[in-house]
Each structure stands twice: as structure tokens, then as C-alpha cells.
């Protein structure tokens, strides 16, 4: 039986209306625009409204992705939501999204791999389609990171924002679609990026809330060093698996965490800046939503053409990393 070629057949994105600029943060915490831009490249980020949860952002991006793919929600076989900020522990955000979309035939589950979650989701979804289990899979990266950000911590509050990106995966013509995946984890670095409270290790109590154990904690310098190392290495390994060289890449779509990390990856891959999709100046780090949001914008802006070779690469808490090469 001939192998199925699996690719992305639709994209969509959504960001909340509220904008939080560096100047706004100057009034909240001891920082300034120049310091933030120089060290991160971020100028503003989006913040969900009080009545918006992760599933709401995911829904808006999903509607656009389904429209882009030219299919209805009833044609979906599976819904996956990659997120570290689910609406609640359970039911899954994917199940809530499945119901709201009217995807009555679809199975649904959440996937947790932090900022690498979307790449992990791509590998999972494409494998299921290749195995013949499903025909159409909706994969969404969606986050409300503002809900887990401590706005008295100037080292983390400058980085994160809210948003969602969605893709529909399905069969594509031979010669197109995913060519390789490179996934990894180093749990020994798990303590470097975490939310300590709220789980079975440290259940929610008045004391845990008072101690701010339910906010994101990050050892910034250590995570930066890790990111610089694995972004380039995993990208090279994914390229090698796909049988491509660095010069074959038409567009790099990296996790949008820090402009210096992206520049380091470009240098290692010997790519000019114009071959990278960068939007972190407007959205900041949106964790699992980062790569699909950037991909959807690249498609919107006409930066992706049929036959282009795309390299998607990210890293995140876990510590985790992931890269994928596909032909559009």
C-alpha cells in the first residue's frame, strides 16, 4: 500500500484585542522599553479579556483554519489542543473546543509539552493520519499565559502573551507534506521552567497561593543557554532526516521566545534574516501558540508558496524541543 503524504491543508490564528506594550509595563514593574527590546526583541503582547479562556482563543483560530482548509467541523476525526494553560484540569480544552465547533465525530485530547507542544502535536497528528486512523485532524496551539504570569516579576512578565494558532492536517499530493520530525526531552532541566503549585506534588492551598506558587517560574539564563544549543542542533537533525541541506530552506518558522535565540539559529543554519518568520515583537512568547501563529501569519502575508521547504523548530519547559521539515 502506497504511503500517505500528510501536510497542512489549512491555517488560522487569533489574538485578543487588548495590547500590553513595553510602556505599559514600565508603569507596572521596574523596567523600560529599551531594556526589553535590546534583550528580547519584544515591543508588545496581547492579553485575553477577562471573559476569555484558552478554549475561546482556540475556537476563533480553529474556525479560520477550517475555512482555510475548505472543510467543516463535522469532517474532523480528531481535535488536539497543545497548551499549558487549559481552561481547567479536565475536561480537556480540546473536548470543550470539539463541542463548541460541533465536531461531533471527532476524538479530542490535550497535549502538554510547553512551547514545544505544537511540534509534538504535528508529529502525533501526522502519524495518526499516515497510519490510516484518521483523515482530518485539527491541531491548535493556544495559551492564556497572562493567567500564570506574575506581573511583579520583571524577569518573566515582559516575555509572555496570549493567542492561538490552528492548522488542519490531511492528505496532500505526493512530494508535499512532512518530511521529518526531531523530538527530544531532558527532564533533568525540568526545574528551570515550571509552575510549582496546583498539581499533586503541591496542591492548591491558601499558603501556596500566597507564596505565588501558581505563577510561572523560570531560570532565564539557563533556559537561554539550553535554547541556543537545542534550536540549532534539532533543526540540523531534522534537515538531515529529511535529506535537505541548510540552503534548501525557504522559510524558518522558529518558536518566538527571544530575538537573540532566533538570530543564533539563523547563524548556525547560515540563513539570512529575511528567511525567518518573526512576529515576537508584536506578540511576545505565546508558548505552544507561537509557531502556529507565526505560520498562519506567514501564509497570510504571502511568505509561503507551494513547494516551499519550511523548517519549524521550538523548545520549551520539560525541558523539551522539537523540529519538523515540510514541503508546502
Amino acid at each position: 500500500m502506497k504511503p500517505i503524504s500528510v501536510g497542512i491543508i489549512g491555517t488560522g490564528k487569533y489574538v485578543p484585542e487588548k495590547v500590553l506594550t513595553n510602556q505599559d509595563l514600565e508603569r507596572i514593574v521596574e523596567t523600560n522599553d529599551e531594556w526589553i527590546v535590546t534583550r528580547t526583541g519584544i515591543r508588545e503582547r496581547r492579553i485575553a479579556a477577562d471573559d476569555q479562556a484558552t478554549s475561546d482563543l482556540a475556537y476563533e483560530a480553529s474556525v479560520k483554519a477550517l475555512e482555510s482548509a475548505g472543510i467543516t467541523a463535522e469532517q474532523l476525526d480528531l481535535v488536539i489542543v497543545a497548551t499549558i494553560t487549559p481552561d481547567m484540569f479536565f475536561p480537556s480544552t480540546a473536548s470543550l473546543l470539539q463541542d463548541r465547533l460541533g465536531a461531533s465525530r471527532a476524538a479530542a485530547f490535550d497535549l502538554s509539552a510547553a512551547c514545544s507542544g505544537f511540534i509534538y502535536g504535528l508529529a502525533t497528528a501526522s502519524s495518526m493520519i499516515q497510519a490510516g486512523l484518521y483523515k482530518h485532524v485539527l491541531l491548535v496551539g493556544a495559551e492564556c499565559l497572562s493567567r500564570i504570569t506574575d506581573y511583579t516579576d520583571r524577569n518573566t512578565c515582559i516575555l509572555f502573551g496570549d493567542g492561538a494558532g490552528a492548522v488542519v492536517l490531511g492528505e496532500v499530493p505526493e512530494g508535499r507534506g512532512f518530511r521529518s520530525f526531531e523530538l527530544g526531552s531532558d527532564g533533568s532541566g525540568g526545574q528551570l521552567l515550571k509552575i510549582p503549585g496546583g498539581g499533586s506534588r503541591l496542591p492548591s492551598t491558601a499558603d501556596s497561593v500566597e507564596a505565588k506558587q501558581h505563577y510561572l517560574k523560570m531560570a532565564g539564563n539557563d533556559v537561554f543557554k539550553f535554547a541556543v544549543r537545542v534550536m540549532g542542533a534539532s533543526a540540523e537533525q531534522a534537515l538531515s532526516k529529511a535529506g535537505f541541506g541548510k540552503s534548501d530552506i525557504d522559510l524558518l518558522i522558529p518558536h518566538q521566545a527571544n530575538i537573540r535565540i532566533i538570530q543564533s539559529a539563523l547563524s548556525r543554519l547560515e540563513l539570512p534574516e529575511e528567511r525567518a518568520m518573526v512576529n515576537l515583537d508584536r506578540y511576545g512568547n505565546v508558548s505552544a501558540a507561537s509557531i502556529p501563529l507565526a505560520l498562519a501569519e506567514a501564509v497570510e502575508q504571502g511568505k509561503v508558496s507551494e513547494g516551499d521547504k519550511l523548517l519549524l523548530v521550538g523548545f520549551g519547559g520539560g525541558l523539551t524541543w522539537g523540529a519538523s521539515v515540510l514541503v508546502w
Side-chain angles (χ1 to χ4, degrees), residues 78-162:
L78 176 64
V79 176
I80 303 173
V81 175
T83 186
I84 55 170
T85 54
D87 285 27
M88 58 191 87
F89 277 165
F90 67 91
S92 71
T93 301
S95 289
L96 300 174
L97 175 62
Q98 175 236 3
D99 175 59
R100 187 169 175 188
L101 286 171
S104 56
R105 293 179 49 251
F109 66 88
D110 286 357
L111 188 156
S112 177
C115 306
S116 308
F118 182 74
I119 303 292
Y120 271 61
L122 287 177
T124 302
S126 64
S127 297
M128 288 180 164
I129 296 172
Q130 278 190 320
L133 296 174
Y134 300 121
K135 186 176 181 182
H136 293 121
V137 178
L138 172 68
L139 170 63
V140 189
E143 304 285 10
C144 282
L145 295 176
S146 61
R147 304 292 201 264
I148 60 168
T149 297
D150 179 1
Y151 286 96
T152 67
D153 178 5
R154 67 175 185 168
N155 294 314
T156 57
C157 74
I158 64 172
L159 301 173
F160 302 106
D162 304 337

Side-chain angles (χ1 to χ4, degrees), residues 199-266:
S200 59
R201 178 69 63 191
L202 183 61
S204 303
T205 64
D207 289 342
S208 72
V209 172
E210 188 177 354
K212 297 188 175 183
Q213 295 298 297
H214 302 270
Y215 288 127
L216 185 150
K217 313 287 185 183
M218 181 172 69
N221 288 337
D222 292 324
V223 173
F224 180 88
K225 292 172 188 173
F226 158 77
V228 168
R229 176 170 55 83
V230 301
M231 281 272 280
S234 59
E236 288 178 341
Q237 288 161 355
L239 283 171
S240 178
K241 283 183 178 180
F244 294 147
K246 298 173 181 177
S247 61
D248 292 319
I249 296 304
D250 294 297
L251 189 64
L252 171 70
I253 302 181
H255 172 46
Q256 309 285 312
N258 185 302
I259 193 63
R260 292 184 295 162
I261 297 172
I262 294 173
Q263 288 168 343
S264 173
L266 283 170

